[in-house]
């Protein structure tokens, strides 16, 4: 199979779909890999590294997209990238279509087969291709939250861990999934006062047991969240409904009850965000204020640590790329129901129910 790896073009996005070691695994199996020049250069993977792994370097995005049967990316394609896709091609990347109708319609118009990392499943019930980036985003969320609590950025001027004689900052984490647990781990490490909200009582028991009481747990109800926000210094939104738009757990009215300079970090922004006042930001301009509350809503948070993120993502995606390259995409989808769960767009139709419902588009089973 011919596999193409374009250079990512979103703001401050330096991740790459395949690293040289992944390319070597594919070329060793007899597949052709085409990599756009400098696709991995910003995170230490040179064109020479890819050539040594057996890849062919192409000068432009147009050439790279045209060369492959399977296009492996990281972030969702921009509209002009969607226009480069053909009906006989397969796109394998994060899509997050539930919050992006223009992209969904552009992918439908392309006729390409589009498989979303974030809805591929596993026998245990998890989301194996979303997990590594959720781990990274959860950990980053506490780093950036602690930074933007600095007074110079509009924050409250609170040190999350406090000091002897001064109480630690209060961190509220909405969602006890992979991102939320990783956020809690980092916040506990900084000696913050941490509370995790979730709707799954069993999950709350697991968190309580794992942290031996160092993390408080609470059932996620509107009233309980509203009460917690009044005293919070940092609020991390990490709720997830696979493939669907994120629920709005923090309303604009709730902001008025919060302390000025409180920081909101919306990990769910790729799925539309879980704060009513969220809108996507970039690493170049990461924050904005609403009613005195700092919002950090960068849509590609793991891109801040692009080398770590790329390596972690490749560990998860490579087995699926190998399977599709070896069996062919149609056969791989037919044989693996968990890969098939990642199919979001095919032959001009939306094939993932939650996406169709979120965008009010027809669903094709």
């Amino acid at each position: 199979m011919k596999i193409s790896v374009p250079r990512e073009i979103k703001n401050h996005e330096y991740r790459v779909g395949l690293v040289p070691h992944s390319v070597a695994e594919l070329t060793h199996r007899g597949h052709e890999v085409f990599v756009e020049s400098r696709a991995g250069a910003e995170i230490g993977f040179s064109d020479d590294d890819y050539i040594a792994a057996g890849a062919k370097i192409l000068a432009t995005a147009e050439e790279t997209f045209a060369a492959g049967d399977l296009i492996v990316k990281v972030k969702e394609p921009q509209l002009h990238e969607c226009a480069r896709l053909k009906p006989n091609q397969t796109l394998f990347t994060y899509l997050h279509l539930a919050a992006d109708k223009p992209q969904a319609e552009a992918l439908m118009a392309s006729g390409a087969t589009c498989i979303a990392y974030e809805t591929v499943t596993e026998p245990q019930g998890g989301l194996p291709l979303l997990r590594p980036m959720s781990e990274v985003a959860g950990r980053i969320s506490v780093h950036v939250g602690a930074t933007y609590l600095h007074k110079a950025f509009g924050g409250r001027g609170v040190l999350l861990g406090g000091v002897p004689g001064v109480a630690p900052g209060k961190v509220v984490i909405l969602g006890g999934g992979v991102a939320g647990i990783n956020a809690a781990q980092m916040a506990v490490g900084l000696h913050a006062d941490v509370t995790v909200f979730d709707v799954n009582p069993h999950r709350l028991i697991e968190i309580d047991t794992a942290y031996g009481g160092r993390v408080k747990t609470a059932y996620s109800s509107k009233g309980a969240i509203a009460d917690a926000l009044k005293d919070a210094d940092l609020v991390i939104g990490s709720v997830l409904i696979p493939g669907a738009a994120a629920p709005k757990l923090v309303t604009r009215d709730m902001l008025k009850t919060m302390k000025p300079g409180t920081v909101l970090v919306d990990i769910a922004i790729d799925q539309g965000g879980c704060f009513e006042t969220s809108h996507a930001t970039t690493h170049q301009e990461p924050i904005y204020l609403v009613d005195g509350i700092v919002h950090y809503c960068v849509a590609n948070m793991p891109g801040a640590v692009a080398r770590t993120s790329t390596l972690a993502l490749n560990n998860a995606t490579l087995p699926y790329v190998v399977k599709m390259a070896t069996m062919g995409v149609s056969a791989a989808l037919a044989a693996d129901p968990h890969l098939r769960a990642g199919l979001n767009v095919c032959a001009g139709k939306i094939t993932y129910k939650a996406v169709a419902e979120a965008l009010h588009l027809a669903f094709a089973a």
Side-chain angles (χ1 to χ4, degrees), residues 124-210:
Q124 298 83 0
L127 302 171
L129 307 190
L130 188 61
R131 183 183 297 115
M133 297 304 93
S134 295
E135 291 169 344
V136 172
R139 296 183 181 209
I140 287 177
S141 68
V142 177
H143 289 178
V144 298
T147 297
Y148 288 106
L149 274 169
H150 294 182
K151 193 64 181 175
F153 295 116
R156 296 196 65 229
V158 169
L159 179 65
L160 278 185
V163 293
V166 180
K170 293 187 176 181
V171 178
V172 171
I173 300 171
L174 305 179
V178 175
I181 287 301
N182 277 268
Q185 180 181 345
M186 300 303 287
V188 167
L190 291 176
H191 303 289
D193 180 332
V194 184
T195 304
V196 176
F197 285 79
D198 202 276
V199 294
N200 184 341
H202 296 291
R203 190 60 170 152
L204 298 179
I205 292 170
E206 291 172 357
I207 295 168
D208 183 72
T209 301

Side-chain angles (χ1 to χ4, degrees), residues 226-239:
D227 285 343
L229 295 178
K230 296 173 185 177
D231 293 323
D233 297 298
L234 170 60
V235 181
I236 296 170
S238 61
V239 295

Side-chain angles (χ1 to χ4, degrees), residues 279-365:
H279 64 76
T281 61
T282 66
H283 290 292
Q284 187 172 351
E285 296 182 24
I287 63 169
Y288 59 93
L289 271 68
V290 177
D291 295 337
I293 306 303
V294 180
H295 290 58
Y296 179 97
C297 304
V298 174
N300 58 330
M301 286 176 63
V305 287
R307 186 177 174 93
T308 295
S309 296
T310 295
L311 292 168
L313 182 60
N314 267 236
N315 290 342
T317 58
L318 181 60
Y320 295 92
V321 176
V322 169
K323 178 179 286 190
M324 287 188 283
T326 301
M327 299 178 64
V329 173
S330 295
L333 289 169
D336 186 345
H338 299 290
L339 177 62
R340 192 162 64 248
L343 188 63
N344 278 218
V345 180
C346 185
K349 300 181 184 299
I350 298 294
T351 54
Y352 197 86
K353 189 174 183 180
V355 168
E357 291 175 348
L359 299 179
H360 304 292
L361 295 172
F363 167 64

Side-chain angles (χ1 to χ4, degrees), residues 1-363:
M1 181 177 282
K2 296 179 179 179
I3 302 160
S4 286
V5 183
R7 183 168 59 86
E8 298 294 325
I9 59 173
K10 286 198 76 170
N11 177 272
H12 285 276
E13 182 54 77
Y14 307 113
R15 289 174 290 178
V16 63
L18 294 174
V19 299
H21 284 168
S22 297
V23 170
E25 185 69 24
L26 291 161
T27 57
H28 175 72
R29 294 169 181 262
H31 306 295
E32 292 184 82
V33 181
F34 303 90
V35 178
E36 184 179 350
S37 181
R38 295 189 57 77
E42 295 289 345
I43 54 172
F45 301 120
S46 68
D47 288 353
D48 287 342
D49 292 332
Y50 281 104
I51 291 170
K56 297 177 182 177
I57 302 298
L58 299 178
T60 67
E62 290 82 0
E63 292 175 280
T64 308
F65 272 88
D69 304 309
L70 175 63
I71 314 296
V72 181
K73 278 176 45 62
V74 178
K75 288 303 292 176
E76 67 277 0
Q78 303 304 288
L79 294 181
H80 66 279
E81 292 180 304
C82 295
R84 294 182 179 132
L85 295 169
K86 306 299 180 187
N88 63 337
Q89 292 181 314
T90 297
L91 174 66
F92 192 39
T93 190
Y94 288 114
L95 293 177
H96 300 294
L97 294 179
D100 193 347
K101 192 170 185 178
Q103 185 205 166
E105 292 176 334
L107 292 177
M108 292 165 66
S110 76
T113 299
C114 304
I115 302 171
Y117 292 162
E118 70 271 12
T119 63
V120 172
T121 58
E122 62 186 354
Q124 298 83 0
L127 302 171
L129 307 190
L130 188 61
R131 183 183 297 115
M133 297 304 93
S134 295
E135 291 169 344
V136 172
R139 296 183 181 209
I140 287 177
S141 68
V142 177
H143 289 178
V144 298
T147 297
Y148 288 106
L149 274 169
H150 294 182
K151 193 64 181 175
F153 295 116
R156 296 196 65 229
V158 169
L159 179 65
L160 278 185
V163 293
V166 180
K170 293 187 176 181
V171 178
V172 171
I173 300 171
L174 305 179
V178 175
I181 287 301
N182 277 268
Q185 180 181 345
M186 300 303 287
V188 167
L190 291 176
H191 303 289
D193 180 332
V194 184
T195 304
V196 176
F197 285 79
D198 202 276
V199 294
N200 184 341
H202 296 291
R203 190 60 170 152
L204 298 179
I205 292 170
E206 291 172 357
I207 295 168
D208 183 72
T209 301
Y211 285 94
R214 290 178 296 161
V215 173
K216 302 170 187 174
T217 59
Y219 185 81
S220 185
S221 67
K222 185 175 181 180
I225 291 172
D227 285 343
L229 295 178
K230 296 173 185 177
D231 293 323
D233 297 298
L234 170 60
V235 181
I236 296 170
S238 61
V239 295
L240 172 69
I241 301 174
K248 306 299 183 186
L249 299 185
V250 177
T251 66
R252 180 157 194 159
D253 285 342
M254 290 177 180
L255 300 190
K256 299 172 185 176
T257 71
M258 299 171 69
K259 300 171 184 175
T262 299
V263 176
L264 303 183
V265 177
D266 199 339
I267 298 175
I269 192 63
D270 278 327
Q271 296 294 118
C274 61
F275 308 139
E276 185 181 2
T277 46
S278 290
H279 64 76
T281 61
T282 66
H283 290 292
Q284 187 172 351
E285 296 182 24
I287 63 169
Y288 59 93
L289 271 68
V290 177
D291 295 337
I293 306 303
V294 180
H295 290 58
Y296 179 97
C297 304
V298 174
N300 58 330
M301 286 176 63
V305 287
R307 186 177 174 93
T308 295
S309 296
T310 295
L311 292 168
L313 182 60
N314 267 236
N315 290 342
T317 58
L318 181 60
Y320 295 92
V321 176
V322 169
K323 178 179 286 190
M324 287 188 283
T326 301
M327 299 178 64
V329 173
S330 295
L333 289 169
D336 186 345
H338 299 290
L339 177 62
R340 192 162 64 248
L343 188 63
N344 278 218
V345 180
C346 185
K349 300 181 184 299
I350 298 294
T351 54
Y352 197 86
K353 189 174 183 180
V355 168
E357 291 175 348
L359 299 179
H360 304 292
L361 295 172
F363 167 64

